[in-house]
Amino acid sequence: MSTFKAIVIEKTDSGQKAGLTDFDEKNLMDGDVTVRVEWSTLNYKDGLAITGKAPVVRRFPMIPGIDFVGTVESSSHPAWRAGDKVILNGWGCGETHLGAYAQKARVKGDWLVRLPAGMSAHEAMAIGTAGYTAMLAVLALEREGVTPQRGPVVVTGAAGGVGSVAIAILSKCGFQVTASTGRREEAGYLQNLGANEIIDRAELAQPAKPLAKERWAAGIDAVGSTTLANVLSMIRYGGAVAACGLAGGMDLPTSVAPFILRSVSLIGIDSVMRPKQDRERAWERLAKDLDRGKLADMTKEIGLGDVTDAAREIIAGRVRGRIVVKIG
Ligand code: NDP
């Protein structure tokens, strides 16, 4: 096939517009592996790219989509052969390199990770960048010596993609989990994923004191801004927070008090340019430490034609859990 279905973002006089169209294979960018894409997913960043709410897209026209799973069609890379099942997360796909919302993708073989044995392609995209980032955050806390014996862990943006997967992983690993959410109506959903306590995110929305009552041994924060500042002020002595998101804002109105008076560590989590060995470790752990039943419970499936509407929903904070996009 010389053309295939793809969502393409074009630049317009008033900004940009995204639509489903036929894309000519000869316009794919350089890469040593061509993949028949089977599933993708919708992350917050995809929402930003498609709605144009933040300058995620750095090249036009752009095929958005930061994650895919598919089958290698052809490869000149030594690690990959036709028929291999591969996962791609990030590396600028959907930003600077043509991305995942397309029936075909051409990428660098070095960017790809093998689909773990026993994990379906659908499950891999139910996890997607949001879930793989949640796992990177858990691994970072473990490296800081955080164990279930040290105390409970707070997860912010709990009903979103990163939050939902983080709760499920932490719960399976034996942690007591506090879920911070603005959606009280999702309390049952969050408890089902493994949350032991639900708090209203309004509790973390006031300007943060330098230090507040010590509540949690650690945190995974997808929200940023005042929420992260409050979490830092409430972490127990010697604890750690893995910061991965900005759903509430990019600023961080905090003080040095938690760091210098309580030895709290703030760990940054980037998934996009993460070295390959960290990715492989995260996917290996996801295959082991994420309950597949809970993953299915948090996942909804849509088609390529539904992606632009879903993009608006995720930016409005109305998506619960994870969305898988059927491509192939
Ligand atoms: P979702 O939209 O699925 O989840 C975000 C959640 O944050 C929402 O569901 C909501 O949770 C909460 N939220 C939204 N708006 C606000 C607000 N104004 N104030 C407080 N809480 C808010 O997104 P993802 O889970 O996919 O991504 C979460 C964040 O992590 C994003 O900022 C994303 O860009 C970032 N991210 C970063 C990565 C990295 O490499 N560092 C990789 C993946 C994601 P609730 O309704 O429960 O309150």
Side-chain angles (χ1 to χ4, degrees):
M1 96 180 145
S2 59
T3 68
F4 53 83
K5 292 280 175 219
I7 294 177
V8 176
I9 301 178
E10 306 271 6
K11 212 171 179 48
T12 64
D13 291 342
S14 55
Q16 62 171 59
K17 80 172 191 327
L20 187 58
T21 183
D22 291 312
F23 193 87
D24 197 323
E25 187 171 348
K26 74 175 185 334
N27 294 326
L28 282 175
M29 293 165 77
D30 287 347
D32 46 11
V33 182
T34 302
V35 179
R36 202 167 59 249
V37 179
E38 286 151 18
W39 301 95
S40 183
T41 175
L42 185 81
N43 298 281
Y44 191 84
K45 191 190 253 179
D46 298 312
L48 291 174
I50 291 169
T51 60
K53 198 172 167 232
V56 169
V57 176
R58 305 285 177 172
R59 166 212 197 262
F60 294 91
M62 173 52 69
I63 298 176
I66 64 172
D67 288 325
F68 66 68
V69 64
T71 304
V72 172
E73 196 174 83
S74 60
S75 167
S76 57
H77 187 283
W80 305 111
R81 286 188 316 195
D84 285 344
K85 293 278 188 194
V86 290
I87 300 172
L88 179 128
N89 304 112
W91 289 118
C93 284
E95 302 182 58
T96 52
H97 193 94
L98 294 175
Y101 296 142
Q103 291 171 316
K104 259 188 207 195
R106 184 167 301 132
V107 296
K108 286 190 182 168
D110 288 346
W111 294 349
L112 297 167
V113 170
R114 199 170 296 280
L115 179 68
M119 183 183 285
S120 74
H122 189 276
E123 285 168 341
M125 283 300 100
I127 294 168
T129 283
Y132 142 68
T133 301
M135 190 74 240
L136 290 174
V138 172
L139 288 165
L141 295 181
E142 287 179 355
R143 276 197 304 277
E144 286 297 313
V146 177
T147 61
Q149 292 67 40
R150 296 269 295 270
V153 179
V154 64
V155 174
T156 65
V162 173
S164 294
V165 179
I167 293 167
I169 297 169
L170 289 167
S171 163
K172 177 126 193 249
C173 293
F175 287 93
Q176 294 285 307
V177 183
T178 298
S180 165
T181 183
R183 290 182 268 179
R184 292 299 295 189
E185 68 278 14
E186 299 299 355
Y189 163 79
L190 295 167
Q191 279 157 352
N192 187 44
L193 293 182
N196 306 91
E197 182 193 25
I198 316 282
I199 62 167
D200 193 314
R201 76 185 192 199
E203 278 190 44
L204 304 175
Q206 299 306 315
K209 294 182 190 155
L211 294 174
K213 185 169 178 287
E214 295 179 50
R215 293 176 76 173
W216 302 292
I220 294 180
D221 178 62
V223 175
S225 190
T226 310
T227 301
L228 176 54
N230 274 288
V231 167
L232 285 166
S233 76
M234 295 176 189
I235 294 297
R236 292 183 187 171
Y237 192 93
V241 179
C244 64
L246 45 60
M250 213 175 192
D251 59 330
L252 181 53
T254 186
S255 77
V256 296
F259 312 119
I260 65 171
L261 297 176
R262 287 193 183 150
S263 275
V264 169
S265 299
L266 177 59
I267 313 160
I269 304 294
D270 167 63
S271 66
V272 180
M273 304 309 287
R274 201 77 182 196
K276 185 162 175 142
Q277 68 192 44
D278 290 3
R279 292 168 184 263
E280 288 173 339
R281 175 88 187 109
W283 279 102
E284 196 182 292
R285 281 288 300 275
L286 283 159
K288 193 162 75 65
D289 286 330
L290 177 60
D291 183 306
R292 304 294 170 84
K294 287 182 181 173
L295 181 64
D297 289 345
M298 72 175 82
T299 305
K300 177 178 145 194
E301 189 181 310
I302 62 172
L304 253 188
D306 307 316
V307 167
T308 48
D309 285 345
R312 283 189 284 274
E313 289 296 297
I314 200 165
I315 295 306
R318 286 196 291 261
V319 168
R320 183 180 90 173
R322 300 280 302 127
I323 291 182
V324 168
V325 181
K326 186 173 171 60
I327 310 268

